[in-house]
Amino acid sequence: MKRSIDGKVYNTETATEICDISKGYSGDFEHVNAELYVTKKGAFFISGWGGASTRFAKSTPDGNGRVGSEGIIPLSEREALEYCEEHAWHKVEDFFDVEEA
C-alpha cells in the first residue's frame, strides 16, 4: 500500500516491517489486521485495515455511522514505540533507542 499524507509518501513496499498484529474475527467491529513500519528516513506508520470500531474506520456517506476500512496512519516515534511494546516487545531494542532501567 502506498499513500501520500501531509506531503510525505508512506510505502509498505519500501519500508521495513517491524511487526504485525491480527486480532478479532473477520467481520467484527473491532477486527484489525495491521503492520507497523519504519521508512528509510525513520518515519513510523501503521498500514492495515479494521472494522467499524477501529482506528481505520471511516464515516458512512450519510455521516450517521462508521464502517470498516483500510489505510495508512502515520505515528510519532513515541506512538510507534508504545505500539511495538504492546504488540512485539521483543523487537523494541531492534528499532528504538531505549536504555536499561
Side-chain angles (χ1 to χ4, degrees):
M1 187 181 308
K2 181 177 177 180
R3 298 273 159 75
S4 176
I5 302 169
D6 294 329
K8 294 182 180 179
V9 175
Y10 298 87
N11 186 348
T12 59
E13 297 284 325
T14 58
T16 300
E17 182 179 315
I18 297 173
C19 66
D20 63 76
I21 66 150
S22 179
K23 60 182 185 177
Y25 295 99
S26 184
D28 287 351
F29 289 153
E30 296 180 3
H31 180 242
V32 172
N33 276 341
E35 298 85 28
L36 174 62
Y37 289 91
V38 61
T39 68
K40 293 175 185 173
K41 292 188 175 183
F44 295 93
F45 67 97
I46 295 174
S47 174
W49 58 275
S53 294
T54 69
R55 63 175 60 189
F56 294 105
K58 305 277 186 206
S59 294
T60 57
D62 63 9
N64 289 327
R66 296 178 60 79
V67 294
S69 187
E70 67 176 9
I72 286 180
I73 301 168
L75 298 177
S76 69
E77 184 173 354
R78 181 74 192 158
E79 290 170 322
L81 172 60
E82 290 172 359
Y83 187 91
C84 193
E85 286 175 336
E86 181 179 347
H87 300 291
W89 59 267
H90 58 284
K91 293 188 176 185
V92 167
E93 291 183 31
D94 296 340
F95 294 95
F96 299 92
D97 291 328
V98 293
E99 59 186 57
E100 190 169 336

